[in-house]
Amino acid sequence: MLDVIYWNANPIFFSIGPVSVRWYGLMFAIGFTIGYWIVSKMFRHEGAPERWLGILLGYVVVATIVGSRLGHVFFYEWDYYSQHPVDILKIWEGGLASHGGTIAIIIALFLFSRFVSHKPASWVFDKIVVAIALVGGLIRMGNLFNSEIYGGPTDLPWGFVFLRNGDIAASHPTQIYEAFCYFVLFGLLMWMYWKKNAEERPWLITGIFFIGIFLPRFLIEYVKNVQVSSEYEMIARYGMNIGQMLSIPFILIGVGLVIWAMTHPREHFSFPNRFADEDTPEKRKKR
């Protein structure tokens, strides 16, 4: 049996002169790299144009960074940033909110469907969310290396003492709780896509994703420390913090999408070329 785990990990993976690579950024990069590979396999499996991959990556990366930052600014600390707007750009100082990133990615994927793929939005949503589940788990591991976003006191044998923050009592390692849930969800979505052809039921994978991400998030928040002081009033009034309030709509959307998917017939999307860009004069000259 464990007693407690004393955690004092260095948040910096390595440094070269003045340049440092942090574990958080490394996890972020690994997640996007693997996620890109997974989505490329899905595109290849369905014969979608290869050139869409790079465009999709750009949409998602920009949406994740900008949306997560603005989500933190508007949802958690607007009182401060409204008085110090230049500080919004100081993303290296921390302050990202997953709910904001989710909203921005949703907008980006609808734009991608409208201007790039010209397919129903469900087609790209049901692929990208699989990769996002993996990225979410890796980002939470990055939070663990940063000794941030953890829970309240616990006497459970797997409690973490975050020495870097001067703690002397064990706390819930909520970063690990969330990461575990997201990795399990990632495995489930991969199984649904590759073994059960769930992509043929539009919105089913996306619906399971929303439930699998935000229901655990809602429950784990009960043992997580308050992130900003303004949440104390909200908890006293509603019994929930900001993260939980923001999670409820996504859970309900997820349930609705699953019901919709299971009550509509299967669909299959076809493409003229297998994992190749559209035929162009340049390509014909090379033949």
Side-chain angles (χ1 to χ4, degrees):
M1 294 292 290
L2 299 175
D3 185 7
V4 295
I5 299 170
Y6 292 93
W7 185 256
N8 194 28
N10 188 340
I12 298 176
F13 178 56
F14 70 87
S15 297
I16 301 177
V19 179
S20 297
V21 175
R22 301 176 68 89
W23 279 102
Y24 185 90
L26 180 64
M27 293 293 129
F28 206 101
I30 291 173
F32 269 95
T33 300
I34 298 177
Y36 181 88
W37 178 78
I38 290 170
V39 175
S40 73
K41 297 288 286 186
M42 293 175 172
F43 273 42
R44 185 182 297 276
H45 174 68
E46 297 184 27
E50 182 179 6
R51 72 177 183 86
W52 289 358
L53 278 169
I55 301 173
L56 179 59
L57 178 64
Y59 273 66
V60 172
V61 169
V62 172
T64 300
I65 296 173
V66 175
S68 297
R69 182 57 171 171
L70 293 181
H72 178 80
V73 168
F74 290 114
F75 297 150
Y76 288 93
E77 294 193 85
W78 176 241
D79 288 344
Y80 171 81
Y81 286 107
S82 63
Q83 303 300 316
H84 306 85
V86 176
D87 288 352
I88 295 175
L89 301 176
K90 299 178 181 179
I91 194 170
W92 57 88
E93 293 182 355
L96 300 175
S98 58
H99 294 90
T102 301
I103 294 171
I105 290 173
I106 289 173
I107 295 172
L109 294 184
F110 274 111
L111 292 175
F112 176 86
S113 300
R114 173 67 176 82
F115 296 108
V116 180
S117 72
H118 305 292
K119 298 287 183 182
S122 59
W123 181 83
V124 69
F125 269 90
D126 286 340
K127 293 169 181 57
I128 204 69
V129 296
V130 179
I132 291 175
L134 174 64
V135 174
L138 289 171
I139 286 176
R140 282 294 177 255
M141 295 307 295
N143 294 138
L144 178 65
F145 279 99
N146 281 347
S147 296
E148 62 186 2
I149 314 180
Y150 54 92
T154 180
D155 56 2
L156 292 172
W158 55 79
F160 272 53
V161 178
F162 292 94
L163 298 174
R164 181 170 294 276
N165 297 333
D167 293 356
I168 59 175
S171 302
H172 284 284
T174 52
Q175 314 98 320
I176 296 178
Y177 299 170
E178 288 190 56
F180 174 79
C181 293
Y182 300 163
F183 289 144
V184 170
L185 175 63
F186 167 69
L188 172 63
L189 298 181
M190 287 286 282
W191 176 77
M192 290 176 63
Y193 182 91
W194 293 107
K195 297 298 183 181
K196 293 298 180 180
N197 297 322
E199 77 281 2
E200 294 180 1
R201 289 195 177 278
W203 296 117
L204 178 59
I205 291 176
T206 302
I208 295 297
F209 167 82
F210 279 137
I211 297 170
I213 285 286
F214 292 103
L215 181 58
R217 171 71 185 271
F218 180 90
L219 297 174
I220 292 170
E221 288 289 330
Y222 280 114
V223 297
K224 188 184 293 185
N225 284 326
V226 170
Q227 301 302 305
V228 293
S229 59
S230 60
E231 288 188 302
Y232 287 110
E233 181 180 352
M234 178 174 288
I235 293 172
R237 178 176 298 182
Y238 303 108
M240 293 183 289
N241 61 25
I242 295 173
Q244 290 173 310
M245 295 283 283
L246 293 171
S247 294
I248 291 174
F250 290 111
I251 296 170
L252 296 177
I253 290 171
V255 172
L257 290 177
V258 170
I259 294 173
W260 191 95
M262 297 306 295
T263 54
H264 284 73
R266 290 178 176 268
E267 295 183 19
H268 179 73
F269 297 103
S270 60
F271 296 87
N273 303 303
R274 284 196 63 81
F275 200 62
D277 287 328
E278 292 87 343
D279 203 9
T280 63
E282 290 76 13
K283 284 196 171 184
R284 286 194 290 269
K285 290 179 181 178
K286 296 180 180 178
R287 293 174 183 168

